Amino acid sequence: MKKGIVKKSIGLALSASMLLSAAGCGQSSDSSTASNVVSIDTTVYSNDGISPDSPYIDMGYDLAQHEDVVCYAVGERPTDMDMVLEKLNSEYLNPWLNTSLQVEFISWGDLGTKYSLLLSGGEKADLIYTSSWCNYNSESGNGAFKELTPEWLEKYMPYSYPQQVPESWTQAAISGKIYAIPKNSSTFTSYNVFVLRQDIADKYDIKEINSWDTMKEALYTIAENESSNGIYANGQRGSNEFGDHLWWQNVGADNLASGYDFMYYTHNSEDLPDFDTDVFYKYTSPDCLKYYLEMAEMAEHNVWSPTRVNDTSDPQVNFESGKTASIIWNSAAASTGKKMEDSGLGTFAVYDVTPDAPAKRDSYANDMMAIPANSTIPERAALVLDCIKGFPEVNNLVVGGIEGVHYTLTEDGKRINGESADNYPWAAWAWGLPGKDTPGEYTDDERMSYFGDVCTAKEYSPLASGFAFDSQPVETEFVVINSIIEEYSSSFNLGMFGDETEAKYNEFVEKLNAAGLDKIMAECKSQYEEYCKNINEMSTGSDTSAKVEKVKKK
């Protein structure tokens, strides 16, 4: 037991109503330690089952009965997962909450089928990862997740709730209701850079790479000279498209609602965009056709393998193993380059090919933890989540493993990989769990810090990032439209239509319109205008008003 990590006395903190007000106004929480907690009714409670130095003692909970909380994560189970869970359970959860945590994993290959079945079946599940891209809206609409009111969160997440970034609740809300607890630390994962085998670039005297076009020229040069050596210029794939992400960044567009294909032209401004002039549906915009024509041209130049349509191998793995010479990725780009370099295959460099594009932090709604509606112990699940997110020492253990084994901390709180880091990589699975004080990575390699330096220098916080779309009113249309996108998108992304790209694109758009796209866009406009109305009403609050005035002057 780590004594002194918390204070047993409970101080008065922000009330639920104040937190909601702060969330609407874009204010930040000043809570920095787990001792800043909300006050709750402690007139009826039992301390049976927990240790005398538990931070949850005398807080109104009956924890006498031991419970096993089952959490479902997405991805592959780390080698040292059991070692970390043993330490978490024995040193924190069992003595503090009379609870143990069990973590099960849904593999990427099973995600499309197992996720919904898990929530609708009889398997025990008390916590589950969700995201704007991972079933959050659809499963919330289906009633699969427990609705979390501010009062309930305030009571059962007493340490982490006051620390939570207020705007994260706004981004997680669906029609004003919360169905999952967002992460509490956000990085620039939505910004993308170009990582290249520098040894190959030097081989062909490739120098300046600072735009989409110069990147494309470099890819063509490598494709022409290296494909015969078994090295493709890029590992493009049909789904989860990296080039797609970079293209929209290149043309100055951003997602309007996380998890959906509504986009808008930012004009490098934090202002709310005008729906009629700046908002568009991704797949029916002229820039989408331009992108697909670019992909057809790259395919013609053999930038990627012609068999990629049937190849499910990961671009990251292909780059790390030397099968491809480049990768387009976000904040993890340099790390995959370092792995390739450490394997002795070559050297790497990171390039910002959209120097004029602004960079925003990832939506908090992109990584969350929900409590399934069929959980019989939702309160205990919330307390486990509170313990993990509310105490830095516990949070670091779950997110990064055992200090001294999987990572070490420098004197100024930066983390360095430990000898067994590969057995429990930092944030390899716990994406929805990072707390407020998660440590940054230490590096003396400028390539590793390049991404963060670039993004920080041009960071912006658009007011539109708080908009969340509720798809339930048009769910029928979305089902049809998503099936059409699935039918065409892989072939477009891989440039497989060649000279027929524009004709196929027109056919694609015609089907989307026939499937009810106008109705979806009308619903989006209605919800967005309501969001703008609320923002304008809240602008009378000092903090948001100041921010609105600031962006108007840009």
Side-chain angles (χ1 to χ4, degrees), residues 350-368:
V350 184
Y351 296 93
D352 180 17
V353 298
T354 57
D356 296 328
K360 73 174 183 180
R361 294 185 182 272
D362 188 37
S363 169
Y364 290 91
N366 280 352
D367 295 302
M368 301 185 286

Side-chain angles (χ1 to χ4, degrees), residues 529-546:
E529 290 181 343
E530 181 66 24
Y531 170 78
C532 292
K533 177 183 176 182
N534 292 336
I535 288 291
N536 290 330
E537 288 175 353
M538 288 185 294
S539 68
T540 56
S542 59
D543 282 8
T544 301
S545 179

Side-chain angles (χ1 to χ4, degrees), residues 17 32 50 57 83 102 109 132 143-144 157 163 187 190 221 224 243 317 319 322 329 370 379 471 484 521 532 534:
S17 60
S32 59
I50 60 176
I57 203 165
M83 179 193 304
Q102 174 184 337
S132 56
M157 302 191 72
Q163 298 180 38
T187 59
S190 61
T221 297
E224 181 180 355
V317 174
F319 183 71
W329 211 7
E379 294 83 5
S471 62
I484 296 171
M521 292 305 294
C532 292
N534 292 336

Side-chain angles (χ1 to χ4, degrees), residues 204-215:
Y204 300 108
D205 198 32
I206 299 172
K207 297 189 181 300
E208 189 176 45
I209 304 176
N210 57 9
S211 66
W212 177 274
D213 288 338
T214 53
M215 176 193 71

